[in-house]
Amino acid sequence: MRLDKYLANIGLGTRSEVRKIIKGGHVKVNSIIVDNGKKQIKEQDDQVQVDNKIIEYQDFFYYMLNKPQGVVSATSDKIQKTVLELLNERDRLRGLFPVGRLDKDTTGLLIITNDGKLAHQLLSPAHHVKKVYQAKIAGIVDENAVKKLASGITLRNGERTKGAEVQVLKLEDNCSWIKITIREGKYHQIKRMFGALSMLVIELNRIEMGSLKLDDSLGEGSYRKLTDNEISKLKEN
C-alpha cells in the first residue's frame, strides 16, 4: 500500500494533508525518514512513525452518530444531505457506510462503519438483533393496541410482523409517548405497524441497537468513535 494512502486510511488526514506531513519529514518507515507518499509499505510488517509516534494500522472504523432529521441514511445522494456528510472530512474515510437506514425524518442512533461483516450480523433477520425506539403517536395506544403489537401486526400489504414489545410512557393531548422494541427491519416498519392500527407516528427516535445505547451526551448531528468495549459487545450480538 502507498504510504500516503496508509496514513489517510487510518484517519491521519485527507490524502493532500498527509502528503504535506510526509514531505515535511515527519514520517519514518522502519526508523528511516520518508518524504515520498508513493513509497510502498507492508501495513502489517513495516513500522510507521509520525513525529516519532508509532502508528498502528487499523482496518475497520466504527462511529456512533445521533442522526438528526433532514438527512438521509446513504453514502451519497445528488440532492439530499447524507449522514456521511455529518462526519468531519478527516473521519470521512473511504468505504464507510451507515448500518441500516433511518428514515429522513427519524432521529437517533446510527452506526457508521466499514466493517461489512458486523453490519451483516446486525442486520440479518436470522440474528433478531433488537432495535429500541421512543416514539410519539397520534392517538391513544391502549392495552388492546399493545396486545396486538405484541402478537404481531398484519400490515396493509399483507405482510406479517413479529411481535413488538411496547411500553406506554405517557398519554397527553390525545397523543401517546411510547418505547417500542422490534427485532426485524422491514421498510418503514414502525410507521406501517401503527398505520395498520389507523394511528400516525409523529416522532421516532432510535435509542438502542443490539447492545449499543445512544450516548446521552451526543447532540443531534454529533458523533464519536465506538469504544473497544462497545465494539466487542456488538460483535457478540
Side-chain angles (χ1 to χ4, degrees):
M1 182 185 296
R2 283 175 48 142
L3 179 60
D4 54 2
K5 181 179 180 181
Y6 173 97
L7 294 176
N9 281 1
I10 63 170
L12 191 65
T14 62
R15 192 72 73 91
S16 60
E17 287 173 340
V18 300
R19 285 186 189 127
K20 291 178 182 178
I21 294 171
I22 294 167
K23 288 181 179 179
H26 297 278
V27 181
K28 293 179 181 178
V29 178
N30 299 326
S31 301
I32 299 172
I33 293 176
V34 175
D35 60 6
N36 187 344
K38 294 181 180 179
K39 177 177 174 60
Q40 294 288 327
I41 63 168
K42 297 178 181 178
E43 55 266 36
Q44 302 300 337
D45 298 328
D46 291 329
Q47 185 189 81
V48 179
Q49 295 172 273
V50 177
D51 291 329
N52 296 315
K53 180 181 177 182
I54 295 175
I55 302 298
E56 298 289 342
Y57 187 73
Q58 186 175 342
D59 286 313
F60 299 116
F61 295 82
Y62 308 87
Y63 299 101
M64 174 195 300
L65 171 71
N66 186 355
K67 179 189 171 299
Q69 289 186 339
V71 294
V72 294
S73 299
T75 56
S76 63
D77 192 286
K78 293 182 179 179
I79 300 173
Q80 303 177 91
K81 186 174 184 177
T82 72
V83 291
L84 290 189
E85 293 177 70
L86 297 174
L87 304 184
N88 295 328
E89 186 178 359
R90 178 169 292 185
D91 292 330
R92 209 178 301 163
L93 304 168
R94 187 175 180 182
L96 288 177
F97 58 88
V99 178
R101 292 177 179 270
L102 291 180
D103 301 340
K104 184 178 179 181
D105 58 349
T106 299
T107 60
L109 175 61
L110 189 64
I111 299 169
I112 295 178
T113 186
N114 59 343
D115 187 342
K117 182 179 179 181
L118 176 62
H120 175 75
Q121 180 180 328
L122 292 173
L123 297 175
S124 172
H127 288 96
H128 308 296
V129 173
K130 73 172 182 178
K131 292 166 276 286
V132 184
Y133 298 79
Q134 288 181 336
K136 180 181 180 182
I137 310 296
I140 301 301
V141 179
D142 57 18
E143 186 176 341
N144 184 48
V146 170
K147 287 181 179 179
K148 288 181 178 179
L149 291 162
S151 62
I153 293 287
T154 300
L155 305 176
R156 288 174 174 169
N157 68 346
E159 281 186 275
R160 183 82 180 169
T161 71
K162 298 185 187 305
E165 301 165 28
V166 179
Q167 178 185 358
V168 179
L169 304 174
K170 184 174 69 170
L171 301 174
E172 187 176 87
D173 298 329
N174 201 39
C175 288
S176 305
W177 281 259
I178 68 163
K179 183 177 180 180
I180 180 169
T181 302
I182 60 175
R183 286 180 167 79
E184 53 187 342
K186 299 183 188 298
Y187 181 69
H188 289 177
Q189 180 170 336
I190 294 177
K191 294 178 180 178
R192 294 166 67 203
M193 288 167 68
F194 281 95
L197 298 176
S198 299
M199 304 177 84
L200 177 68
V201 176
I202 301 173
E203 297 176 9
L204 189 60
N205 179 54
R206 184 158 69 191
I207 57 174
E208 295 181 35
M209 185 173 187
S211 60
L212 190 64
K213 295 184 178 181
L214 181 62
D215 189 332
D216 291 337
S217 68
L218 284 180
E220 288 191 6
S222 299
Y223 70 98
R224 67 164 173 81
K225 290 182 178 179
L226 295 188
T227 65
D228 290 342
N229 186 50
E230 288 170 333
I231 295 167
S232 295
K233 287 185 175 179
L234 273 177
K235 290 181 177 180
E236 292 172 0
N237 283 295

